[in-house]
Amino acid sequence: MNSTDRRNFLRNLGVSAASIPFVAGLPSLGHAQTKGPRKRLVVMFSPNGTIPKNFWPDQTGNDFSFKEILKPLQPWKEQTLLLKGVHNMVGGDGDRHMRGMSCLLTGIELFPGNIQGGSDTPAGWAKGISIDQEIKKHLQSHEATRTRFGSLEFGVGVSDRADPWTRMSYAGPNLPVAPTDDPYRMYSKLYGQLRGKQSVLGIIDQVKEDLKKVSQKVSPEDRQILDEHATLIREMEREFAEGKGRSHTSTPALESGIANQNDNLPTLGRMQIELLVNSFVNDFARVATLQYTKSVGQARMNWLDIKEGHHGLSHEPNNNEDAVNKLTKINNWFAGELAHLVKRLSETPEPSGEGTLLDNTIVVWTNELGKGNNHTLNDIPFALVGGGLNFKMGRSLNLNGVAHNRLHLALAHGFGHHLETFGNPKLSQGGPLDLS
């Protein structure tokens, strides 16, 4: 059944246009399926460096123990790969927060520009494509792996400001990709144009009825997929019923990190995770980024009883034990959000009926700095969780100072995209890291 016939069949069932994105890709309705598993990539970002002594395990190999920050990942230890000794060696213009962010996924220098950082020379956008967009481009170039969006960029508490501190994804030189940090706007992008609360509630009611109609016409495996859709719809309905539906009217520009959704970050993050997981179920995209705030992010984690701004805390000296404890708590919270994403992927069946989404998804959690108070670009935290790329998981490795370009090459090769270099060619020497 081709796409036109499939849509006509659904319309003949009385399914509304608003519901078609939920059901048009079901295998029972003749949707072409990729041979083999659907490989996917998620890059999750949190800012301002980590606390190395509370992040990196003391041991290497497969006999290691998680330190305080990474303890939320304990249930997925056998599916985790920790990579110490991966450095961002990109030099050039811009301060380290700028290069840490905009060179994180691109592996190449920033253009000269007029954006002045805390020191160093001013800079502009990155000179090249980011690895998430490079892998997207590769997947979109083949009919078997092409999806509706290719990639989706989710944000949580990212300000409206656009500069090298706020952008890690690039479609090409001078082409930053902005994350969508309003889950209702992302919902609208994924499932149709929504205008106001009543419109949303009306569409939600219609979609609920349509899912019931279609569930009687598809296989048991596809009914499980429809149950996932129904769960998402109920969650969106609950959020609106509790008065959390946000207006789409413009709001005044407010100080970054305080009024810009600050106290709602936990709720907004969980909503974005639900949309991300559901987009994978629908095969809307096979590449996604999940960006929590931004480089130099000043979010105040009031829900952790921490009143200081995150970036300010990260500048405190090592002997400030109160700051160290708070930063450990902040990074442990981010690890908990990663663990929640991993849990949702692990409990969501693959649409093909074999395994779970996590079995074929690699999640990369990273940061723009290795440590906040010295702004080092060495030992950038890279924690990989999941499967699908033939990496040997369940290990903690010390790679002793390799360029992060080589990790990006390994990711590309894992998707069958056999690049010889990525980003700055000089930093690709040695080829992809052998993580098998």
Side-chain angles (χ1 to χ4, degrees), residues 167-186:
R167 301 292 184 260
M168 64 177 181
S169 291
Y170 284 79
N174 254 339
L175 293 173
V177 179
T180 300
D181 69 353
D182 179 349
Y184 299 103
R185 191 153 54 91
M186 180 62 80

Side-chain angles (χ1 to χ4, degrees), residues 152-392:
L152 290 165
E153 292 72 42
F154 296 84
V156 184
V158 183
S159 70
D160 293 334
R161 198 182 77 205
D163 53 42
W165 293 287
T166 67
R167 301 292 184 260
M168 64 177 181
S169 291
Y170 284 79
N174 254 339
L175 293 173
V177 179
T180 300
D181 69 353
D182 179 349
Y184 299 103
R185 191 153 54 91
M186 180 62 80
Y187 182 91
S188 177
K189 175 179 179 176
L190 294 176
Y191 304 115
Q193 297 300 315
L194 310 179
R195 294 181 177 88
K197 180 175 179 179
Q198 292 305 316
S199 176
V200 173
L201 289 172
I203 290 175
I204 284 174
D205 288 340
Q206 181 66 61
V207 170
K208 285 164 62 180
E209 291 302 314
D210 288 343
L211 293 183
K212 290 179 184 178
K213 293 177 186 176
V214 176
S215 67
Q216 301 169 16
K217 304 290 184 180
V218 298
S219 68
E221 292 80 8
D222 284 346
R223 282 195 203 101
Q224 198 165 22
I225 297 174
L226 291 177
D227 286 343
E228 285 287 322
H229 300 335
T231 298
L232 173 70
I233 293 300
R234 286 194 297 270
E235 178 64 20
M236 299 297 292
E237 187 176 39
R238 183 185 66 80
E239 294 289 346
F240 275 109
E242 293 177 357
K244 295 179 181 178
R246 292 174 54 201
S247 169
H248 291 271
T249 59
S250 59
T251 56
L254 301 171
E255 185 178 350
S256 175
I258 297 178
N260 186 16
Q261 311 137 350
N262 185 84
D263 289 348
N264 293 329
L265 288 185
T267 300
L268 294 168
R270 293 295 175 95
M271 292 172 69
Q272 294 286 51
I273 286 172
E274 288 305 306
L275 290 169
L276 190 161
V277 172
N278 196 266
S279 72
F280 280 174
V281 171
N282 282 287
D283 205 22
F284 286 166
R286 299 189 185 177
V287 176
T289 55
L290 179 61
Q291 179 181 330
Y292 281 87
T293 73
K294 57 188 176 295
S295 178
V296 200
Q298 274 286 56
R300 285 169 168 78
M301 277 62 170
N302 294 318
W303 57 94
L304 300 177
D305 197 28
I306 296 174
K307 305 306 179 186
E308 300 92 336
H310 185 189
H311 178 243
L313 270 176
S314 73
H315 276 233
E316 290 296 314
N318 296 339
N319 61 6
N320 185 336
E321 285 300 320
D322 182 60
V324 168
N325 291 337
K326 288 177 178 177
L327 290 166
T328 298
K329 194 173 183 179
I330 288 171
N331 281 281
N332 174 268
W333 180 78
F334 284 125
E337 297 311 289
L338 169 63
H340 179 74
L341 168 60
V342 171
K343 177 177 181 291
R344 291 292 295 116
L345 292 168
S346 71
E347 63 193 17
T348 304
E350 267 288 355
S352 65
E354 298 181 6
T356 70
L357 292 183
L358 185 64
D359 294 332
N360 303 308
T361 302
I362 198 78
V363 182
V364 181
W365 179 31
T366 188
N367 201 300
E368 91 273 26
L369 298 175
K371 194 169 185 291
N373 60 8
N374 62 5
H375 294 85
T376 182
L377 297 179
N378 292 340
D379 291 326
I380 299 295
F382 282 104
L384 283 60
V385 189
L389 300 191
N390 296 319
F391 295 168
K392 184 180 178 181

Side-chain angles (χ1 to χ4, degrees), residues 92-99 102 110-126 161-167 170 174 176 296:
D93 295 338
D95 68 23
R96 292 187 183 185
H97 276 290
M98 296 165 74
R99 284 184 282 124
S102 281
L110 305 181
F111 281 110
N114 59 2
I115 303 174
Q116 181 65 57
S119 61
D120 306 289
T121 53
W125 301 116
R161 198 182 77 205
D163 53 42
W165 293 287
T166 67
R167 301 292 184 260
Y170 284 79
N174 254 339
V296 200

Side-chain angles (χ1 to χ4, degrees), residues 57-74:
D58 293 328
Q59 312 87 357
T60 57
N62 56 15
D63 186 16
F64 70 95
S65 299
F66 286 124
K67 292 289 191 68
E68 182 63 28
I69 287 172
L70 292 177
K71 283 184 177 178
L73 295 180
Q74 187 64 42

